[in-house]
Amino acid sequence: MSGSGAHAVGHGVMPADTTEDVRRRGAGVSSQVAVLPVGSFEQHGPFLPLATDTLVACAVAREIAAAYPVHLLPPVTVSCSHEHAAWPGTVSISAVTLHAVVRDIAASLRGSGVEALAVVNGHGGNYVLGNVVQESAARGERMALFPAAEDWETARERAGVRTSLLTDMHAGEIETSILLHAHPELVRPGYESADFTADDRRHLLTAGMSAYTESGVIGRPSLGSAEKGKNLLSSLAESFAGYFTLLTSGAETAR
């Protein structure tokens, strides 16, 4: 899929489209799709920034916008990071608030003629986003949540990521690789020796991350590389094709 409506990328994570850019892109498609990155503001150990999940979600969304004629939105930067509250700098909002924000954004888009919304989630703790999409579908609205676990697994395999998705939980090989590719200037020294694993995390929601890691890291960031990050993003953009078809052509074509 070629991105016939090129996007001008602004400073940092902000899209630089004008209203005329959006108008022209919308005129070239039968059904408009907006892409909303949702990140978080939470600890990612001593070497990745608090905004890591937002930066990852935006990197994925930018890759999608480069390949498909979508309306790229600015990110939601604070979300449900309550399990990281033990570390300074972490900020959260309630699941109810995040639900309302995404639903309001979707309603605003529909009011301006953009009928479909793809939510690109960069934080695993945003469980409520699944409910937002589930409820929207029940109302007959077009919304999708991306990437699914299967998309991440395909990307992991294609990029040569050695850590499993179970082990690579937080500030590990995947996130470090994506930032080494997309924002290398933000990755601080120390990831090379920060590996820590804790595969049995059954009490995470009750006890929080601090019950499983002192550093805030769960994964193997030492295995990260810019090349893996580039390949992860490329695979995810390719996987988005099915979502784009579903959102623009209807559920009957999503098989």
Side-chain angles (χ1 to χ4, degrees):
M1 177 71 66
S2 174
S4 56
H7 285 262
V9 179
H11 295 288
V13 299
M14 299 300 291
D17 281 339
T18 67
T19 188
E20 290 305 313
D21 294 329
V22 176
R23 190 193 308 276
R24 284 192 297 269
R25 190 178 304 112
V29 295
S30 58
S31 180
Q32 293 190 66
V33 177
V35 173
L36 175 67
V38 179
S40 70
F41 199 75
E42 64 187 37
Q43 71 84 20
H44 276 78
F47 54 87
L48 294 182
L50 292 159
T52 290
D53 287 344
T54 298
L55 295 169
V56 168
C58 288
V60 175
R62 285 198 304 270
E63 200 80 9
I64 290 170
Y68 305 86
V70 298
H71 178 25
L72 180 61
L73 300 173
V76 175
T77 58
V78 178
S79 61
C80 304
S81 301
H82 310 283
E83 68 273 25
H84 298 274
W87 283 270
T90 298
V91 181
S92 291
I93 58 176
S94 71
V96 172
T97 299
L98 182 57
H99 187 296
V101 167
V102 175
R103 184 172 175 178
D104 283 357
I105 289 171
S108 176
L109 288 164
R110 289 193 301 274
S112 64
V114 182
E115 293 295 331
L117 176 64
V119 179
V120 175
N121 182 34
H123 172 47
N126 289 337
Y127 309 109
V128 71
L129 295 178
N131 297 120
V132 178
V133 173
Q134 180 187 47
E135 294 165 13
S136 297
R139 292 192 297 270
E141 300 161 5
R142 292 191 181 182
M143 190 182 296
L145 183 60
F146 181 81
E150 293 85 352
D151 303 310
W152 278 118
E153 182 61 28
T154 297
R156 186 189 71 81
E157 293 175 355
R158 291 184 180 179
V161 170
R162 292 164 54 187
T163 317
S164 70
L165 293 181
L166 172 65
T167 299
D168 195 61
M169 187 261 184
H170 193 71
E173 185 176 2
I174 288 176
E175 289 184 322
T176 301
S177 293
I178 291 176
L179 261 67
L180 283 171
H181 167 65
H183 298 282
E185 73 283 0
L186 300 181
V187 181
R188 301 190 184 188
Y191 72 89
E192 305 90 342
S193 58
D195 292 5
F196 181 80
T197 60
D199 284 356
D200 186 347
R201 304 183 296 269
R202 69 187 71 189
H203 303 301
L204 175 66
L205 297 182
T206 301
M209 282 281 289
S210 60
Y212 295 94
T213 171
E214 292 184 7
S215 68
V217 176
I218 298 181
R220 297 191 177 98
S222 69
L223 300 176
S225 72
E227 181 180 5
K228 289 178 182 178
K230 179 180 179 180
N231 291 334
L232 283 162
L233 294 175
S234 177
S235 177
L236 290 173
E238 184 176 334
S239 292
F240 188 75
Y243 295 79
F244 187 79
T245 299
L246 173 62
L247 291 172
T248 57
S249 302
E252 69 277 1
T253 64
R255 302 290 182 182

